[in-house]
């Protein structure tokens, strides 16, 4: 992922334009090529016929004439790259020319529409005011919520795109994960703990029945935008995909209502292969391992009145499933965060106790030096007194009373006073 036109704001956030460029990697493609020919669903035809199926008779008649004249079929041969990034379609060209407010692209590819960030911008927290929020989303397109949903279903505030989660995570904290292609933020709950790359981590899964539309989780009723609601396990995201009948689920309809798979052969949901999980270092919010897995489907209604697509009526048609994966931290980050999170806290603790011991020793040493000095002063004073008492011309203080000291003092002072008086008398005369 990249972020363009980064701008720092005064409230401890930054605003940027997110982008997610995709690059084909031949050595990771198991021998498959971008130009391999496949027979795949004609997404444009199925989408337009679904949208038009509830329109007036005249509208349906006009579209059927175009479909028959162009001989557009629901299954077509195309390359893998065309399916992902766009293929030529007469219907799309007509839609682009006559309905530019609805369709603003001439080619339709599944992945390029999922990663269309035209006009998007997001604002994230820098951590300046609260370090625990560093990297979390404040607003998307200037709002805390997505306009496609009402109420709490559209909330993306304090969500993470899995680059970094909140810091100082407590065991019972609920986290949020958001990617635009999912059209919502998913709640994540901690299920266990583990260690990855020498760092302790919490294991998170999506909350149970996250793709429910209110049948099981009443708080999810705002995800039901059309009546009747989709079965549990399918999330209607047409609002994020130009009104096309797109719904997301987990791969192979994992965890969905069993009746969703009734019209589809070949589905084989597997917990290990198809569930999503996140391993997060709780102090920093650093993701240690991530596997976010989603499936893109078309949910089609009654198409019996539309040309060439009648056999797809009332079908949930899986198109592809994706896995956003972080297998582990790069070596440079592993070493750095092991130092930050494992070594430095020990050094800090050892330094603290060492400073305490050293401080205690210095205080004891100061007290000992002070007491030693007092003892020396006392010894010196005692020696002086002893020397004074032992002088032959002095009076031994041990045998003198207060009266004797006073008499001795007067005997010393009286001659001096007499000399002063006689001197003053001579001056007067």
């Amino acid at each position: 992922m990249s972020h363009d036109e980064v701008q720092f704001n005064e409230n401890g956030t930054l605003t940027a334009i997110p982008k997610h460029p995709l690059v084909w990697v031949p050595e990771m493609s198991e021998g498959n090529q971008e130009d391999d020919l496949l027979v795949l669903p004609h997404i444009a035809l199925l989408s337009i016929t679904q949208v038009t199926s509830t329109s007036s008779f005249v509208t349906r008649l006009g579209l059927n004439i175009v479909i028959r004249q162009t001989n557009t079929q629901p299954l077509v041969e195309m390359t893998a790259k065309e399916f992902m990034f766009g293929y030529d379609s007469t219907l799309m060209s007509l839609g682009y020319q006559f309905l530019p407010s609805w369709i603003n692209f001439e080619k339709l590819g599944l992945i390029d529409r999922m990663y269309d960030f035209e006009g998007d911008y997001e604002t994230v927290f820098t951590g300046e005011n609260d370090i625990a929020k560093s990297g979390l989303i404040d607003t998307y397109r200037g709002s805390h919520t997505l306009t496609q949903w009402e109420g709490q279903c559209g909330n993306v505030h304090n969500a993470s795109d899995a680059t970094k989660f909140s810091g100082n995570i407590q065991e019972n904290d609920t986290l949020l994960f958001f990617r635009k292609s999912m059209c919502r933020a998913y709640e994540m709950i901690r299920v266990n703990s583990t260690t990855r790359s020498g760092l302790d981590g919490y294991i998170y899964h999506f909350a149970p029945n996250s793709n429910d539309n209110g049948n099981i989780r009443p708080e999810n009723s705002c995800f039901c935008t059309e009546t009747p609601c989709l079965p549990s396990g399918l999330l209607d995201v047409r609002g994020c995909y130009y009104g096309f009948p797109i719904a997301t689920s987990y791969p192979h309809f994992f965890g969905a209502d069993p009746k969703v798979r009734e019209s589809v052969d070949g589905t084989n949901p597997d917990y290990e292969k198809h569930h999503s999980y996140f391993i997060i270092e709780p102090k920093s919010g650093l993701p240690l391992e991530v596997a976010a897995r989603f499936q893109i489907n078309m949910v089609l209604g009654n198409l019996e009145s539309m040309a060439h697509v009648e056999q797809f009526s009332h079908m949930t048609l899986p198109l592809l499933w994706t896995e956003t994966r972080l297998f582990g931290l790069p070596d440079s980050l592993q070493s750095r965060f092991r130092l930050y999170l494992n070594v430095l806290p020990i050094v800090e603790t050892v330094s603290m106790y060492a400073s305490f011991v050293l401080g205690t020793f210095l205080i004891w040493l100061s007290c000992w030096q002070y007491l030693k000095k007092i003892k020396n002063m006392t010894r010196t004073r005692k020696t002086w007194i002893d020397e004074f008492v032992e002088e032959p011309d002095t009076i031994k203080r041990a045998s003198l009373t207060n009266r004797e000291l006073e008499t001795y003092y007067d005997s010393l002072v009286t001659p001096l006073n007499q000399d002063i008086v006689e001197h003053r008398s001579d001056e007067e005369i």
Side-chain angles (χ1 to χ4, degrees), residues 244-305:
F244 294 169
I246 301 295
T248 58
S249 68
Y250 298 138
H252 287 247
F253 303 114
F254 173 75
D257 190 322
K259 68 180 181 181
V260 175
R261 301 194 302 271
E262 290 178 356
S263 60
V264 182
D265 293 333
T267 58
N268 184 25
D270 186 306
Y271 175 83
E272 292 299 328
K273 295 179 180 180
H274 302 141
H275 87 288
S276 298
Y277 67 91
F278 303 76
I279 301 178
I280 304 170
E281 200 287 318
K283 295 178 182 178
S284 63
L286 181 73
L288 305 178
E289 188 174 331
V290 173
R293 295 153 172 160
F294 289 91
Q295 182 168 295
I296 307 299
N297 314 280
M298 299 190 75
V299 180
L300 304 170
N302 187 355
L303 301 178
E304 294 178 357
S305 62

Side-chain angles (χ1 to χ4, degrees), residues 137-376:
I137 296 172
D138 181 23
T139 62
Y140 202 91
R141 284 195 169 192
S143 175
H144 292 317
T145 58
L146 302 178
T147 58
Q148 290 84 355
W149 309 107
E150 295 182 357
Q152 65 179 4
C153 289
N155 177 57
V156 295
H157 184 61
N158 289 333
S160 167
D161 62 3
T163 303
K164 182 189 176 301
F165 292 88
S166 59
N168 300 320
I169 302 173
Q170 304 303 309
E171 290 189 357
N172 295 325
D173 286 350
T174 298
L175 308 182
L176 291 177
F177 170 64
F178 169 73
R179 287 290 178 93
K180 181 187 175 180
S181 58
M182 302 185 316
C183 195
R184 61 165 291 191
Y186 277 78
E187 288 185 354
M188 299 162 50
I189 58 173
R190 191 184 75 89
V191 296
N192 211 335
S193 301
T194 188
T195 301
R196 288 291 188 277
S197 304
L199 297 170
D200 294 332
Y202 289 166
I203 301 176
Y204 284 84
H205 290 175
F206 291 136
N209 301 305
S210 290
N211 283 333
D212 179 59
N213 294 286
N215 295 325
I216 302 174
R217 299 182 63 178
E219 64 271 23
N220 279 18
S221 59
C222 45
F223 287 124
C224 179
T225 58
E226 298 285 338
T227 303
C229 299
L230 295 182
S232 179
L234 289 175
L235 183 69
D236 188 347
V237 294
R238 71 185 68 194
C240 296
Y241 291 98
Y242 318 99
F244 294 169
I246 301 295
T248 58
S249 68
Y250 298 138
H252 287 247
F253 303 114
F254 173 75
D257 190 322
K259 68 180 181 181
V260 175
R261 301 194 302 271
E262 290 178 356
S263 60
V264 182
D265 293 333
T267 58
N268 184 25
D270 186 306
Y271 175 83
E272 292 299 328
K273 295 179 180 180
H274 302 141
H275 87 288
S276 298
Y277 67 91
F278 303 76
I279 301 178
I280 304 170
E281 200 287 318
K283 295 178 182 178
S284 63
L286 181 73
L288 305 178
E289 188 174 331
V290 173
R293 295 153 172 160
F294 289 91
Q295 182 168 295
I296 307 299
N297 314 280
M298 299 190 75
V299 180
L300 304 170
N302 187 355
L303 301 178
E304 294 178 357
S305 62
M306 307 307 299
H308 295 178
V309 294
E310 300 90 337
Q311 68 271 38
F312 288 90
S313 291
H314 307 292
M315 180 181 291
T316 300
L317 183 64
L319 300 177
L320 62 83
W321 68 273
T322 67
E323 179 181 69
T324 301
R325 193 71 193 270
L326 171 68
F327 291 93
L329 293 176
D331 293 339
S332 59
L333 283 180
Q334 289 185 30
S335 301
R336 186 183 306 173
F337 277 90
R338 278 198 296 264
L339 173 65
Y340 293 161
L341 300 172
N342 292 345
V343 178
L344 291 185
I346 296 175
V347 172
E348 181 183 13
T349 302
V350 171
S351 299
M352 180 181 66
Y353 283 106
S355 298
F356 175 77
V357 172
L358 179 61
T360 303
F361 172 74
L362 292 175
I363 292 174
W364 176 84
L365 182 63
S366 299
C367 293
W368 181 76
Q369 292 286 352
Y370 177 76
L371 293 175
K372 183 178 179 181
K373 183 176 180 181
I374 294 297
K375 185 176 180 180
N376 290 338

